[in-house]
């Protein structure tokens, strides 16, 4: 022991240990996270193309242009619609399956494993698989059952593509909400439910009056997770449509604008706008969920 | 008696819904991929749902001869090295923050790290590529450092939460009295106590890095010797538009490792991800 602490390295570490301990993590974090983030925000006030040496400061012009840019507005409305669909279905399907999995039936551990499985797969693999199912599988079902709406590849018109993207994102996206709602349901004290059913409460009353409040913390968490996955959607869209058919999410538009259209500053103003939106929503969510915790 | 009968009915209904959901929605896409991987591309297009007439293994040979093992090793290397660095660096820094709560400097650092929780990747992904290019970090090693940096906010948040609740300062004081230096105390007293949270951290980060597409796409896109599996998949499919047989074989080959890991560690994985998102 003594030999280690006595040499100069040991003495140095003991004296400045807090800085030595924090340095590796902070150096990487500052270089590859904070510095690019600050730069991204600063670049959003310039007309930089991503290549040239000079950056022209144009103040809020990028932001003003955003609000009259048809492509951006279309992409925003698509992204918001997608987020809204993800939020509502993740909540409804999540609560529904969680209620079923909470029942004491044989094999519910097995079902839990199966239902969570999609969450461990890569979004790219899943989207590529589904893009082939949409292209050849769906039309074959439509033709053999003679259902007109299924005879075409869903990825050939806007509505079909929207449903297809939302479906693939939900296929993976409901796994975590199911578990979160299940955790909420399991935290309901058993004796309260028993007392209620002895007093003659119907299962529906038990669910809405007793269990539901325990779901609220998970609800606000699922809301924010689904919203973020919708606002930042990238992998599924690049693999399914590459943003064609009016399905260009903001995340993909931003990439295309910077890399393919050389509008680096402009693209960064979209990113910064997303940042502001997510900060505001996160603060609201934290406020709301801390209120629940006090009430419980 | 009547009540019992009703219960049986509800249970039966529960089973039916759960089985339909599990089989139709989750297992059938995987099953279709599996049978597709043993058929020729033309056969898949003509009879998407039919079982293969002969079990064709040519597709798998094609996939492996286009360098799958190399991309697999890249993915393993990226994931393992990034996770090792995360588990080495982040708890060390979190420990310094937890034990210096009164210092203004460490308070600021703590807040700066927490800020990262709210920053969407798209805000800084473009400048990040510029920074990486300037530092000659558009390669596997650079990407590993980037993963560690991106993992800091959530990982540190989880470590600090755990340390505040489970790390009695008395143990460290006892070690100090015994003559242990700070590093020795950390390695032999503090770190072993972090075992449960380390498992959560490893699972969360390994799964994210293994499956991540966008970062390798931005950082490694130009050099195909360094591609990871998701990036290889994307590029393979773009380059071989009509080659459905090998494509399906590639999907299966990329899913097999994760299915094995999931079957072995499912309890830890499910628990770890739930714990990571609740806190």
């Amino acid at each position: 022991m003594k030999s280690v602490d006595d040499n100069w390295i040991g003495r140095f570490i003991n004296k400045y240990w807090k800085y030595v301990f924090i340095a590796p993590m902070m150096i990487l974090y500052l270089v590859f996270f904070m510095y690019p983030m600050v730069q991204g925000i600063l670049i959003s006030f310039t007309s930089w193309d991503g290549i040239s040496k000079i950056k022209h400061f144009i103040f809020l012009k990028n932001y003003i242009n955003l609000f009259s840019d048809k492509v951006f507005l279309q992409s925003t409305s698509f992204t918001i619609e997608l987020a809204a669909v993800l939020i509502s279905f993740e909540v409804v399907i999540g609560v529904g399956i969680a209620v079923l999995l909470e029942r004491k039936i044989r094999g519910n551990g097995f079902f839990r494993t199966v239902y969570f499985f999609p969450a461990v797969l890569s979004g790219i693999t899943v989207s590529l698989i589904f893009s082939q199912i949409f292209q050849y599988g769906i039309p074959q079902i439509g033709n053999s059952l003679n259902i007109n709406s299924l005879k075409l590849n869903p990825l050939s018109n806007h509505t079909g593509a929207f449903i297809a993207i939302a479906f693939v994102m939900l296929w993976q996206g409901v796994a975590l909400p199911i578990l979160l709602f299940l955790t909420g349901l399991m935290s309901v004290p058993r004796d309260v439910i028993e007392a209620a059913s002895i007093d003659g409460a119907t299962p529906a009353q038990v669910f809405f009056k007793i269990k539901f409040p325990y779901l609220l913390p998970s609800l606000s968490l699922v809301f924010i997770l689904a919203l973020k996955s919708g606002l930042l959607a990238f992998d599924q869209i690049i693999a399914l449509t590459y943003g064609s058919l009016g399905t260009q999410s903001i995340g993909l538009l931003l990439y295309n604008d910077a890399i393919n259209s050389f509008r680096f500053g402009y693209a960064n103003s979209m990113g910064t706008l997303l940042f502001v939106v997510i900060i505001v929503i996160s603060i609201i969510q934290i406020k709301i969920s801390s209120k629940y915790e006090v009430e419980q | 008696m009547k009540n019992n009968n009703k219960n049986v009915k509800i249970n039966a209904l529960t089973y039916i819904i759960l089985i339909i959901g599990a089989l139709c929605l989750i297992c059938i896409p995987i099953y279709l991929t599996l049978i597709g991987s043993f058929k020729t591309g033309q056969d898949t297009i003509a009879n998407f749902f039919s079982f293969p007439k002969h079990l064709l293994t040519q597709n798998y040979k094609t996939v492996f001869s286009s360098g799958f093992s190399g991309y697999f090793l890249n993915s393993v290397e990226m994931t393992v090295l990034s996770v090792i660095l995360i588990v080495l660096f982040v708890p060390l820094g979190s420990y310094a923050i937890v034990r210096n709560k009164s210092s203004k400097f460490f308070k600021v650092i703590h807040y700066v790290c927490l800020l990262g929780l709210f920053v969407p990747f798209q805000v800084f992904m473009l400048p990040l590529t510029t920074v990486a290019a300037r530092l000659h970090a558009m390669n596997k090693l650079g990407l590993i450092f980037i993963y560690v940096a991106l993992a800091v906010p959530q990982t540190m948040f989880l470590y600090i939460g755990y340390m505040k609740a489970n790390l009695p300062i008395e143990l460290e004081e006892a070690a100090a009295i015994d003559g242990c230096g700070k590093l020795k105390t950390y390695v032999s007293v503090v770190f072993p106590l972090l075992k449960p949270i380390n498992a959560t951290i490893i699972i969360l980060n390994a799964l994210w890095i293994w499956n991540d597409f966008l970062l390798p796409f931005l950082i490694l896109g130009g050099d195909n010797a360094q591609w990871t599996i998701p990036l290889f998949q994307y590029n393979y499919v773009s380059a071989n538009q009509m080659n459905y047989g090998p494509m399906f074989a590639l999907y299966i080959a990329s899913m097999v490792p994760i299915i094995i890991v999931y079957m072995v560690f499912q309890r830890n994985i499910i628990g770890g991800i739930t714990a990571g998102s609740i806190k």
Side-chain angles (χ1 to χ4, degrees), chain B residues 133-209:
Chain B
R134 221 180 308 149
L135 294 175
H136 303 287
M138 302 283 267
N139 49 42
K140 283 196 273 188
L141 185 65
L143 187 51
I144 288 171
F145 287 147
I146 294 173
Y147 277 127
V148 178
L150 264 63
V152 165
Q154 197 200 15
T155 311
M156 189 210 67
F157 179 69
L158 291 172
Y159 271 122
I160 288 188
Y162 187 86
M163 285 172 175
K164 276 184 181 161
N166 300 298
L167 215 60
I169 198 162
E170 290 78 15
L171 280 177
E172 293 152 47
E173 285 165 355
I177 294 169
D178 288 349
C180 282
K182 285 291 179 186
L183 192 60
K184 171 89 180 162
T185 307
Y186 174 81
V187 173
S188 54
V189 178
V190 175
F191 195 71
L193 289 172
L194 301 177
K195 229 184 207 164
I197 187 79
N198 281 341
T200 305
I201 300 295
I202 291 172
I203 289 164
L204 280 175
N205 287 302
L207 210 57
W208 158 56
I209 296 168

Side-chain angles (χ1 to χ4, degrees), chain B residues 195-247:
Chain B
K195 229 184 207 164
I197 187 79
N198 281 341
T200 305
I201 300 295
I202 291 172
I203 289 164
L204 280 175
N205 287 302
L207 210 57
W208 158 56
I209 296 168
W210 180 269
N211 286 333
D212 188 40
F213 167 72
L214 186 46
L215 260 175
F217 184 58
L218 293 167
I219 303 291
L220 308 175
D223 180 5
N224 62 5
Q226 307 201 31
W227 286 351
T228 57
I229 292 182
L231 189 55
F232 172 58
Q233 261 178 8
Y234 177 75
N235 285 307
Y236 189 84
V237 172
S238 325
N240 301 279
Q241 282 297 348
M242 298 308 284
N243 235 342
Y244 294 108
M247 248 182 239

Side-chain angles (χ1 to χ4, degrees), chain A:
Chain A
M1 265 317 303
K2 267 228 137 86
S3 61
V4 180
D5 282 342
D6 275 353
N7 67 29
W8 68 271
I9 300 176
R11 275 197 306 262
F12 179 83
I13 291 178
N14 271 336
K15 193 163 179 202
Y16 299 105
W17 69 276
K18 16 184 181 180
Y19 306 107
V20 175
F21 279 17
I22 203 140
M25 164 179 122
M26 279 320 278
I27 291 170
L28 291 177
Y29 182 68
L30 290 177
V31 173
F32 291 116
F33 199 133
M34 278 297 124
Y35 175 71
M37 185 196 95
V38 172
Q39 249 212 336
I41 295 172
L42 292 179
I43 290 172
S44 77
F45 297 108
T46 70
S47 59
W48 195 39
D49 58 6
I51 304 160
S52 58
K53 289 218 167 113
I54 320 148
K55 298 182 181 109
H56 288 289
F57 182 72
I58 54 168
F59 201 46
L60 288 174
K61 202 157 171 250
N62 283 331
Y63 292 90
I64 295 164
N65 288 346
L66 276 182
F67 290 98
S68 54
D69 178 347
K70 278 207 182 102
V71 180
F72 175 73
L73 293 178
Q74 199 279 327
S75 153
T76 307
S77 81
F78 166 76
T79 309
I80 291 173
E81 279 169 43
L82 182 65
V85 168
L86 291 183
I87 292 166
S88 24
F89 281 85
E90 282 187 22
V91 169
V92 172
I93 301 173
V95 172
I97 306 235
V99 167
L100 295 181
L101 285 179
E102 198 226 352
R103 294 183 60 81
K104 285 195 187 64
I105 53 167
R106 211 179 279 180
N108 60 6
F110 165 78
F111 283 120
R112 203 174 304 172
T113 309
V114 173
Y115 276 99
F116 191 70
F117 174 64
V120 302
L121 295 176
S122 103
I124 277 288
T125 313
V126 170
S127 312
L128 292 172
I129 289 176
F130 272 106
S131 98
Q132 256 112 55
I133 294 180
F134 292 142
Q135 197 172 359
Y136 297 106
I138 296 288
Q140 281 182 24
I141 296 179
N143 283 326
S144 58
L145 299 178
N146 209 9
I147 305 170
N148 273 330
S149 53
L150 293 183
K151 280 183 183 166
L152 269 178
N153 176 0
L155 298 176
S156 54
N157 58 66
H158 173 74
T159 316
F162 182 87
I163 296 171
I165 290 169
F167 178 83
V168 174
M169 292 188 78
L170 284 170
W171 192 80
Q172 284 196 288
V174 294
L176 189 57
I178 291 174
L179 273 182
L180 295 175
F181 288 128
L182 196 57
T183 320
L185 286 175
M186 308 256 240
S187 66
V188 185
R190 294 292 115 184
D191 45 337
V192 180
I193 300 174
E194 272 165 34
S197 18
I198 290 169
D199 287 348
T202 63
Q205 278 174 325
V206 170
F207 180 77
F208 285 107
K209 296 259 160 74
I210 298 172
K211 291 183 178 170
F212 194 69
Y214 285 88
L215 288 179
L216 290 177
S218 324
L219 201 65
S220 83
L221 186 63
V222 169
F223 179 87
I224 196 90
L225 290 175
L227 180 78
K228 266 192 182 173
S229 72
L231 290 183
L232 307 176
F234 188 93
D235 296 9
Q236 288 83 359
I237 294 174
I238 203 175
L240 286 169
T241 61
Y242 208 93
S244 61
L245 304 166
T247 60
Q248 179 146 255
S249 63
I250 299 180
L252 185 60
L253 173 66
L254 186 157
Y255 169 83
N256 277 332
D257 244 27
I259 306 294
N260 300 329
S261 313
F262 303 106
R263 297 197 293 183
F264 220 79
Y266 190 60
N268 272 309
S269 69
M270 296 177 204
T272 309
L273 207 61
L274 268 182
F275 181 27
V276 174
V277 170
I278 286 183
I279 283 259
V280 170
I281 294 167
S282 304
I283 291 172
I284 296 173
Q285 190 247 354
I286 290 169
K287 284 249 161 78
I288 292 175
S289 60
S290 62
K291 209 173 129 199
Y292 289 140
E293 270 160 32
V294 173
E295 278 170 3
Q296 266 183 29

Side-chain angles (χ1 to χ4, degrees), chain B residues 59-107:
Chain B
N59 294 332
Y60 285 93
K61 285 181 196 144
T62 313
V63 167
F64 278 91
S65 66
S66 47
F68 180 80
S69 336
Y71 303 118
F72 175 78
L73 287 180
N74 282 345
S75 268
V76 172
E77 194 185 334
M78 292 298 318
T79 309
V80 171
L81 291 178
S82 309
V83 169
I84 288 177
L85 287 188
I86 289 170
V87 174
L88 277 180
F89 290 171
V90 183
L92 199 60
S94 311
Y95 175 69
I97 293 175
V98 167
R99 286 290 175 253
N100 293 287
K101 267 180 288 187
S102 48
S103 137
K104 257 216 168 102
F105 176 73
F106 282 89
K107 249 188 206 147

